[in-house]
Amino acid sequence: VMYLAWAMNAINEDKEARKVKMKPKTLGLANWLAGKSPNLRFLKKTFWKRMMYVYVPSLIVVGMIFAGSGSSSILIGLVLIALMIIGGMPMKELLTAGAAGAACIGLMLGIHLASDGKLIKRAGTFLGRLTTDYNMNDLEGLKGDAYYDILDDIRQPESAKVAVHEGKIIGKGIGNSTQKYKVDNIYGDFMYSFLIEEYGLIGGIFVLILYVSLLARSSIVARMCNNDFEKYAIGGLAVLISGQAFLHILVNVDIGPMTGQTLPLISHGSSAFLMFSVAFGGILSISRMTREKIKEEERSWLDRMAETLSANMVVVSGLDWETDLTPWKAPGIKTGAFAGKAQVFLDVLAGDLLVNVESSLRINKVRRFICGVSLSGLFGVWASCRRDLFEGVASVSGSFWYDGFTEWL
């Protein structure tokens, strides 16, 4: 992942340098070979540099991993493809590279089947996990070696389902797991089911939130990175850790075939724990570089929220509603008539009144609203249409029955 992050960043820098007619400072081997021999001048093209530094190394790595673990090779391959998408590799080339990878896996499976399982034996394990149906009913009527052979195959996945079922909401408590005595590798491949058995659904959700938080936080850090290498590296490492965690969880809750993937930083395993610690250390190192930018972004967000949520309410009283808040003369409801002097009050409001109030209260005039009820709600709507004073209006039970108002509106 770290190599691929460097390679894609170097290709981008090489491309930018050639645009401005500068000598590239990256990809020295490809540029040296292109200048050394006329037959290798094609290496100056960006496509062949991507082929040399990105696609071919990725296919080699995935192929080498497949010899030891089919599920791991698929996981790593998907992580690398995700990283290439983040790095802006052309989608047409990615589809071609993906097809080539699938062809390589198909070739290995074909060699295994053609040799009756004598070659590339790990491919047989991979096929077996995809095709085996783990069902306790298969044990009915069997005895002796046949019984125990099938029992060995289904013991782990069935015991994991039992552990998840018995964990319920709050679990059995620390140290009270029973399935750990029936599954040889429960601390590795089936760690999540063990956690649910002892800590329940609450503990399982908590662990899931941890990995989702890692992915979310890494995306925030990636946005604040100073260069593409940091962005690609932290994105790839976060997807690698969280992707393996989600795959492990899906297998433990009986969604998908067995893969043998451990739960990162939780499952037992010295070498795996060491490698994931290195990956997590890389994320923390890059996060530390962007700490100040993240803090500045958080402060800016809080300031914007404070400006949005803070408000000052100014109440205007002492008005004759039937005179100062009516837009034009109209017949009264019971006796008399409405005077229609709203324009006079609006001029006062737009003039000295607002200026004096906002200056005395030291209001940061970000957004200004007007609100009212009944005739004052009517005035608010009418005033906001007449003058560009307010960004919004709240009219509570506004007197829209006022003679001619709905037609004017």
Side-chain angles (χ1 to χ4, degrees):
V1 169
M2 297 297 287
Y3 163 78
L4 197 58
W6 167 84
M8 292 191 298
N9 180 62
I11 289 173
N12 290 340
E13 291 182 354
D14 180 85
K15 189 190 304 183
E16 292 299 322
R18 291 187 179 278
K19 283 183 180 179
V20 295
K21 307 297 183 180
M22 291 179 60
K23 183 179 179 181
K25 296 181 180 180
T26 58
L27 307 181
L29 178 60
N31 292 324
W32 179 77
L33 290 173
K36 200 73 175 176
S37 171
N39 296 328
L40 297 177
R41 286 180 181 173
F42 65 90
L43 291 177
K44 288 185 177 181
K45 296 182 179 180
T46 303
F47 167 76
W48 289 106
K49 289 177 180 177
R50 287 197 292 263
M51 184 67 70
M52 178 178 177
Y53 286 95
V54 176
Y55 302 135
V56 172
S58 297
L59 288 174
I60 291 174
V61 169
V62 171
M64 293 176 65
I65 294 175
F66 185 82
S69 174
S71 60
S72 295
S73 67
I74 293 176
L75 174 64
I76 295 297
L78 292 175
V79 170
L80 295 181
I81 290 174
L83 186 52
M84 292 176 195
I85 294 174
I86 295 173
M89 297 293 104
M91 190 58 64
K92 184 178 180 180
E93 295 178 8
L94 289 179
L95 292 175
T96 304
C104 290
I105 294 176
L107 178 62
M108 293 181 183
L109 294 176
I111 293 174
H112 171 79
L113 295 174
S115 63
D116 292 329
K118 296 179 180 179
L119 299 177
I120 314 180
K121 296 181 179 180
R122 194 66 187 181
T125 304
F126 176 72
L127 288 174
R129 288 180 173 176
L130 289 176
T131 57
T132 301
D133 182 19
Y134 301 101
N135 194 333
M136 292 294 289
N137 295 328
D138 295 339
L139 296 175
E140 294 183 4
L142 297 178
K143 297 181 180 179
D145 292 340
Y147 175 88
Y148 288 106
D149 287 341
I150 295 180
L151 181 62
D152 288 340
D153 290 335
I154 67 176
R155 178 186 285 116
Q156 293 193 49
E158 287 296 323
S159 296
K161 288 190 285 186
V162 172
V164 172
H165 177 266
E166 293 185 353
K168 295 183 171 60
I169 302 298
I170 60 174
K172 295 180 175 179
I174 301 175
N176 294 327
S177 169
T178 57
Q179 297 306 308
K180 64 184 178 182
Y181 301 110
K182 298 182 180 181
V183 180
D184 296 335
N185 198 27
I186 196 169
Y187 301 113
D189 298 353
F190 294 93
M191 187 65 188
Y192 190 71
S193 60
F194 167 74
L195 289 173
I196 292 182
E197 185 182 11
E198 291 204 347
Y199 301 97
L201 181 63
I202 295 175
I205 293 176
F206 176 75
V207 172
L208 185 61
I209 290 174
L210 291 178
Y211 290 107
V212 173
S213 299
L214 171 65
L215 196 60
R217 184 66 178 179
S218 298
S219 66
I220 295 174
V221 174
R223 275 196 310 117
M224 302 297 168
C225 287
N226 298 315
N227 54 61
D228 289 340
F229 169 73
E230 295 176 1
K231 180 170 65 176
Y232 301 155
I234 197 170
L237 293 174
V239 171
L240 174 63
I241 295 174
S242 57
Q244 179 165 329
F246 297 148
L247 184 59
H248 173 95
I249 291 171
L250 290 176
V251 171
N252 276 245
V253 297
D254 198 29
I255 301 176
M258 289 181 59
T259 61
Q261 300 300 319
T262 58
L263 191 59
L265 300 171
I266 297 180
S267 290
H268 175 74
S270 54
S271 59
F273 185 82
L274 177 61
M275 290 298 100
F276 279 117
S277 296
V278 172
F280 202 83
I283 293 176
L284 291 177
S285 177
I286 297 173
S287 177
R288 184 178 181 183
M289 297 177 190
T290 60
R291 183 182 301 170
E292 290 303 320
K293 293 181 69 174
I294 293 176
K295 287 183 178 179
E296 182 62 30
E297 180 71 14
E298 290 175 346
R299 284 194 294 266
S300 176
W301 181 82
L302 290 174
D303 290 341
R304 291 195 300 270
M305 287 297 296
E307 291 179 354
T308 302
L309 297 177
S310 62
N312 292 276
M313 179 179 290
V314 178
V315 179
V316 180
S317 61
L319 298 174
D320 183 346
W321 283 36
E322 296 184 0
T323 300
D324 299 326
L325 300 180
T326 51
W328 49 76
K329 292 181 180 181
I333 300 177
K334 295 181 180 179
T335 60
F338 295 113
K341 301 290 186 179
Q343 185 62 53
V344 176
F345 175 61
L346 180 59
D347 293 338
V348 174
L349 186 66
D352 295 338
L353 185 58
L354 279 177
V355 173
N356 293 335
V357 168
E358 292 179 351
S359 61
S360 63
L361 295 179
R362 297 181 180 178
I363 296 175
N364 183 14
K365 193 169 53 180
V366 178
R367 303 181 72 183
R368 186 191 290 149
F369 292 83
I370 184 171
C371 60
V373 61
S374 189
L375 281 174
S376 62
L378 172 77
F379 172 82
V381 175
W382 175 82
S384 62
C385 295
R386 292 280 293 178
R387 298 286 295 271
D388 189 19
L389 289 175
F390 309 101
E391 293 191 35
V393 56
S395 179
V396 182
S397 188
S399 301
F400 290 177
W401 47 260
Y402 193 81
D403 189 34
F405 184 76
T406 54
E407 291 82 1
W408 175 85
L409 189 61

